[in-house]
Amino acid sequence: MKTDFFGGLAPRTDESSIHVSRRKDLIEAIKNEFPQHATGLVVVFAAFEQGSERFRQDKTFYYYTGMNEPGAALVIDLTGKSTLYLPNYFEKRAQWMVLPEALIKRDAKALRVDAVEFLGDECAGYEINPYFSEHEYAHMIALLKNNKANGGSLFSTVPDNGYEYISTRVTLDYLQKFIPQLNESVVDISSIIAAARRRKDIGEVERIYRAIEITELAHESALQTIKNEALESEVQASLEYIMTASHGRPSFPSIVGSGKNSTVLHYHENSGTMRNGDLVVVDIGTELNNYCADLTRTYPVSGVFSKRQKELYNIVLQTQEHVASFAKPGMWVKNKDKQDQSLHHLAVKFLAKHGYDKYFPHGIGHYLGLDVHDVGDYSTPLQEGDVITIEPGIYIAAENIGIRIEDNYWITKDGAVCLSENLPKEIADIEQYMQQVQSSQSDDSDEDDWNDEDEDDEDEMFN
């Protein structure tokens, strides 16, 4: 039976106003955080297209605009006025892409901004590249030059690390070719944005839940493909078919690791052959309408866990249940200074009682949302509105046994709600389902054999 978590809760947010509201909150937060900066502009860049790869929008740009158009930029002044800057290529682009009418007409009201402008002069082609020409960005360059000349700050996402907002940081670095010392006016607001994105409203939780539902169906499809001598890539193909057919996409490279491969945490090759006696770790997630799921299950290829596999599997499952019982506002995902309130350290302590803590090399979980490893400050405790994963595991390479169980949890004032509870994880349920599937496949195979014999008889009759 499917669970509906959303009946009777607060009214859904009006989608026509949510991005406006988020931008207003952003400006207020910037003013509170940086009162010394009296003038300035907030700039949020969309992602650029990456040639042969399917476009994936910058999630912060989407958060504040609801748009999936590449190459654009959102500018907000400190009065709250928002201007959407678009590449100047739409007459050409409409011949190559399906475009919303509001973009073609630059309809500010329909796009829920105060104004729409071009980034610059007409682009050479039907797309704009990360290393754009000066004339293609001429209007934006003039705006930023004027802001700098007037002593205004440029608020954007430039965190002091090597892995976040790469596209935005590359764009700002490149703009210094046209605006020397631009970086001197840049103020990082990534922590403000992370705090806002971390608190999921009910509409966002619903979107994550829909992505989870598709991921659950993908796991069911995987179960129907797992069998002796099947390829890991066949399982990957079957589960990703479900994602694609449901208008989704993988939120990260799908992991289908059997036998020794199950002990490799980020195994993406999916090139092995499954054998009876192996376990197979299936760690997958669907991205749907820009929101992500991330669910892991571990299955026995034969349909039945061995005694040793059951022992280890139950320890992992008990660890997850133990940790989930503590997940609530005021706890931390990980905090080495408050280990009794740290979900990660509670997991390690529980595994240590069984002698398996050294076989748990990764963290207990992460934030989940627009990104599969979503933005959020791990140095602060959990709060109402967080969505996290809880994913303990045991990996013993010497025994070719890797086991991980991962579910997605919504933090409410009363504790953690498992959004993925419909995906079976008890040993008895997994074995029963797999044996039913394999029995059905065997029956189908027998029927095919009978049909082949009938065809042979018919051939003999007509020869």
PDB file of all heavy atoms in Angstrom, residues 262-277:
ATOM      1  N   SER A 262      30.611  -5.149  -5.208  1.00  0.00           N
ATOM      2  CA  SER A 262      29.709  -4.606  -4.192  1.00  0.00           C
ATOM      3  C   SER A 262      30.461  -3.920  -3.058  1.00  0.00           C
ATOM      4  O   SER A 262      29.870  -3.157  -2.288  1.00  0.00           O
ATOM      5  CB  SER A 262      28.816  -5.710  -3.619  1.00  0.00           C
ATOM      6  OG  SER A 262      29.578  -6.635  -2.845  1.00  0.00           O
ATOM      7  N   THR A 263      31.765  -4.183  -2.955  1.00  0.00           N
ATOM      8  CA  THR A 263      32.573  -3.592  -1.886  1.00  0.00           C
ATOM      9  C   THR A 263      33.219  -2.277  -2.312  1.00  0.00           C
ATOM     10  O   THR A 263      33.893  -1.635  -1.517  1.00  0.00           O
ATOM     11  CB  THR A 263      33.672  -4.562  -1.423  1.00  0.00           C
ATOM     12  OG1 THR A 263      34.653  -4.717  -2.463  1.00  0.00           O
ATOM     13  CG2 THR A 263      33.092  -5.916  -1.064  1.00  0.00           C
ATOM     14  N   VAL A 264      33.024  -1.890  -3.589  1.00  0.00           N
ATOM     15  CA  VAL A 264      33.583  -0.639  -4.108  1.00  0.00           C
ATOM     16  C   VAL A 264      32.499   0.433  -4.004  1.00  0.00           C
ATOM     17  O   VAL A 264      31.448   0.323  -4.646  1.00  0.00           O
ATOM     18  CB  VAL A 264      34.049  -0.800  -5.571  1.00  0.00           C
ATOM     19  CG1 VAL A 264      34.643   0.513  -6.092  1.00  0.00           C
ATOM     20  CG2 VAL A 264      35.061  -1.937  -5.682  1.00  0.00           C
ATOM     21  N   LEU A 265      32.758   1.471  -3.210  1.00  0.00           N
ATOM     22  CA  LEU A 265      31.686   2.400  -2.830  1.00  0.00           C
ATOM     23  C   LEU A 265      31.073   3.125  -4.023  1.00  0.00           C
ATOM     24  O   LEU A 265      29.850   3.233  -4.130  1.00  0.00           O
ATOM     25  CB  LEU A 265      32.211   3.411  -1.812  1.00  0.00           C
ATOM     26  CG  LEU A 265      32.754   2.814  -0.512  1.00  0.00           C
ATOM     27  CD1 LEU A 265      33.161   3.916   0.446  1.00  0.00           C
ATOM     28  CD2 LEU A 265      31.728   1.890   0.136  1.00  0.00           C
ATOM     29  N   HIS A 266      31.898   3.657  -4.909  1.00  0.00           N
ATOM     30  CA  HIS A 266      31.389   4.374  -6.076  1.00  0.00           C
ATOM     31  C   HIS A 266      31.751   3.614  -7.351  1.00  0.00           C
ATOM     32  O   HIS A 266      32.394   4.146  -8.256  1.00  0.00           O
ATOM     33  CB  HIS A 266      31.924   5.812  -6.110  1.00  0.00           C
ATOM     34  CG  HIS A 266      31.224   6.727  -5.173  1.00  0.00           C
ATOM     35  ND1 HIS A 266      31.556   8.051  -5.011  1.00  0.00           N
ATOM     36  CD2 HIS A 266      30.188   6.512  -4.330  1.00  0.00           C
ATOM     37  CE1 HIS A 266      30.762   8.611  -4.110  1.00  0.00           C
ATOM     38  NE2 HIS A 266      29.921   7.691  -3.691  1.00  0.00           N
ATOM     39  N   TYR A 267      31.301   2.390  -7.413  1.00  0.00           N
ATOM     40  CA  TYR A 267      31.532   1.543  -8.578  1.00  0.00           C
ATOM     41  C   TYR A 267      30.518   1.904  -9.665  1.00  0.00           C
ATOM     42  O   TYR A 267      29.302   1.770  -9.466  1.00  0.00           O
ATOM     43  CB  TYR A 267      31.377   0.074  -8.179  1.00  0.00           C
ATOM     44  CG  TYR A 267      31.357  -0.904  -9.328  1.00  0.00           C
ATOM     45  CD1 TYR A 267      32.532  -1.250  -9.989  1.00  0.00           C
ATOM     46  CD2 TYR A 267      30.169  -1.495  -9.742  1.00  0.00           C
ATOM     47  CE1 TYR A 267      32.527  -2.154 -11.034  1.00  0.00           C
ATOM     48  CE2 TYR A 267      30.144  -2.406 -10.784  1.00  0.00           C
ATOM     49  CZ  TYR A 267      31.322  -2.728 -11.434  1.00  0.00           C
ATOM     50  OH  TYR A 267      31.312  -3.627 -12.471  1.00  0.00           O
ATOM     51  N   HIS A 268      31.018   2.394 -10.815  1.00  0.00           N
ATOM     52  CA  HIS A 268      30.124   2.852 -11.875  1.00  0.00           C
ATOM     53  C   HIS A 268      30.267   2.057 -13.169  1.00  0.00           C
ATOM     54  O   HIS A 268      29.487   2.263 -14.101  1.00  0.00           O
ATOM     55  CB  HIS A 268      30.393   4.333 -12.206  1.00  0.00           C
ATOM     56  CG  HIS A 268      30.115   5.262 -11.068  1.00  0.00           C
ATOM     57  ND1 HIS A 268      30.926   6.334 -10.771  1.00  0.00           N
ATOM     58  CD2 HIS A 268      29.117   5.274 -10.155  1.00  0.00           C
ATOM     59  CE1 HIS A 268      30.443   6.968  -9.725  1.00  0.00           C
ATOM     60  NE2 HIS A 268      29.351   6.350  -9.332  1.00  0.00           N
ATOM     61  N   GLU A 269      31.266   1.176 -13.244  1.00  0.00           N
ATOM     62  CA  GLU A 269      31.505   0.499 -14.514  1.00  0.00           C
ATOM     63  C   GLU A 269      30.337  -0.407 -14.912  1.00  0.00           C
ATOM     64  O   GLU A 269      30.007  -0.524 -16.088  1.00  0.00           O
ATOM     65  CB  GLU A 269      32.790  -0.337 -14.426  1.00  0.00           C
ATOM     66  CG  GLU A 269      34.074   0.490 -14.432  1.00  0.00           C
ATOM     67  CD  GLU A 269      34.376   1.128 -13.089  1.00  0.00           C
ATOM     68  OE1 GLU A 269      33.600   0.904 -12.115  1.00  0.00           O
ATOM     69  OE2 GLU A 269      35.376   1.840 -12.983  1.00  0.00           O
ATOM     70  N   ASN A 270      29.746  -1.087 -13.937  1.00  0.00           N
ATOM     71  CA  ASN A 270      28.607  -1.974 -14.188  1.00  0.00           C
ATOM     72  C   ASN A 270      28.895  -2.938 -15.347  1.00  0.00           C
ATOM     73  O   ASN A 270      28.054  -3.149 -16.220  1.00  0.00           O
ATOM     74  CB  ASN A 270      27.336  -1.158 -14.472  1.00  0.00           C
ATOM     75  CG  ASN A 270      26.990  -0.230 -13.317  1.00  0.00           C
ATOM     76  OD1 ASN A 270      27.441  -0.407 -12.191  1.00  0.00           O
ATOM     77  ND2 ASN A 270      26.183   0.777 -13.592  1.00  0.00           N
ATOM     78  N   SER A 271      30.092  -3.517 -15.326  1.00  0.00           N
ATOM     79  CA  SER A 271      30.540  -4.368 -16.434  1.00  0.00           C
ATOM     80  C   SER A 271      30.685  -5.836 -16.037  1.00  0.00           C
ATOM     81  O   SER A 271      31.067  -6.661 -16.860  1.00  0.00           O
ATOM     82  CB  SER A 271      31.889  -3.857 -16.965  1.00  0.00           C
ATOM     83  OG  SER A 271      32.864  -3.840 -15.922  1.00  0.00           O
ATOM     84  N   GLY A 272      30.381  -6.146 -14.777  1.00  0.00           N
ATOM     85  CA  GLY A 272      30.573  -7.500 -14.305  1.00  0.00           C
ATOM     86  C   GLY A 272      29.406  -8.423 -14.627  1.00  0.00           C
ATOM     87  O   GLY A 272      28.345  -7.985 -15.094  1.00  0.00           O
ATOM     88  N   THR A 273      29.616  -9.699 -14.344  1.00  0.00           N
ATOM     89  CA  THR A 273      28.584 -10.717 -14.516  1.00  0.00           C
ATOM     90  C   THR A 273      28.178 -11.225 -13.135  1.00  0.00           C
ATOM     91  O   THR A 273      29.032 -11.569 -12.316  1.00  0.00           O
ATOM     92  CB  THR A 273      29.105 -11.888 -15.361  1.00  0.00           C
ATOM     93  OG1 THR A 273      29.506 -11.386 -16.650  1.00  0.00           O
ATOM     94  CG2 THR A 273      28.023 -12.955 -15.536  1.00  0.00           C
ATOM     95  N   MET A 274      26.892 -11.272 -12.870  1.00  0.00           N
ATOM     96  CA  MET A 274      26.393 -11.719 -11.566  1.00  0.00           C
ATOM     97  C   MET A 274      26.392 -13.244 -11.491  1.00  0.00           C
ATOM     98  O   MET A 274      26.114 -13.920 -12.488  1.00  0.00           O
ATOM     99  CB  MET A 274      24.990 -11.161 -11.336  1.00  0.00           C
ATOM    100  CG  MET A 274      24.993  -9.656 -11.139  1.00  0.00           C
ATOM    101  SD  MET A 274      23.333  -8.955 -10.978  1.00  0.00           S
ATOM    102  CE  MET A 274      22.762  -9.080 -12.656  1.00  0.00           C
ATOM    103  N   ARG A 275      26.698 -13.757 -10.306  1.00  0.00           N
ATOM    104  CA  ARG A 275      26.734 -15.206 -10.091  1.00  0.00           C
ATOM    105  C   ARG A 275      25.922 -15.557  -8.858  1.00  0.00           C
ATOM    106  O   ARG A 275      25.860 -14.781  -7.897  1.00  0.00           O
ATOM    107  CB  ARG A 275      28.176 -15.673  -9.864  1.00  0.00           C
ATOM    108  CG  ARG A 275      29.172 -15.257 -10.930  1.00  0.00           C
ATOM    109  CD  ARG A 275      28.935 -15.966 -12.240  1.00  0.00           C
ATOM    110  NE  ARG A 275      29.966 -15.616 -13.218  1.00  0.00           N
ATOM    111  CZ  ARG A 275      29.879 -15.868 -14.520  1.00  0.00           C
ATOM    112  NH1 ARG A 275      28.800 -16.493 -14.990  1.00  0.00           N
ATOM    113  NH2 ARG A 275      30.844 -15.519 -15.335  1.00  0.00           N
ATOM    114  N   ASN A 276      25.307 -16.719  -8.876  1.00  0.00           N
ATOM    115  CA  ASN A 276      24.630 -17.216  -7.674  1.00  0.00           C
ATOM    116  C   ASN A 276      25.620 -17.242  -6.507  1.00  0.00           C
ATOM    117  O   ASN A 276      26.762 -17.664  -6.670  1.00  0.00           O
ATOM    118  CB  ASN A 276      24.073 -18.617  -7.917  1.00  0.00           C
ATOM    119  CG  ASN A 276      22.793 -18.594  -8.714  1.00  0.00           C
ATOM    120  OD1 ASN A 276      22.088 -17.580  -8.772  1.00  0.00           O
ATOM    121  ND2 ASN A 276      22.456 -19.707  -9.354  1.00  0.00           N
ATOM    122  N   GLY A 277      25.169 -16.802  -5.366  1.00  0.00           N
ATOM    123  CA  GLY A 277      26.036 -16.683  -4.206  1.00  0.00           C
ATOM    124  C   GLY A 277      26.518 -15.265  -3.980  1.00  0.00           C
ATOM    125  O   GLY A 277      26.933 -14.914  -2.872  1.00  0.00           O
TER     126      GLY A 277
END
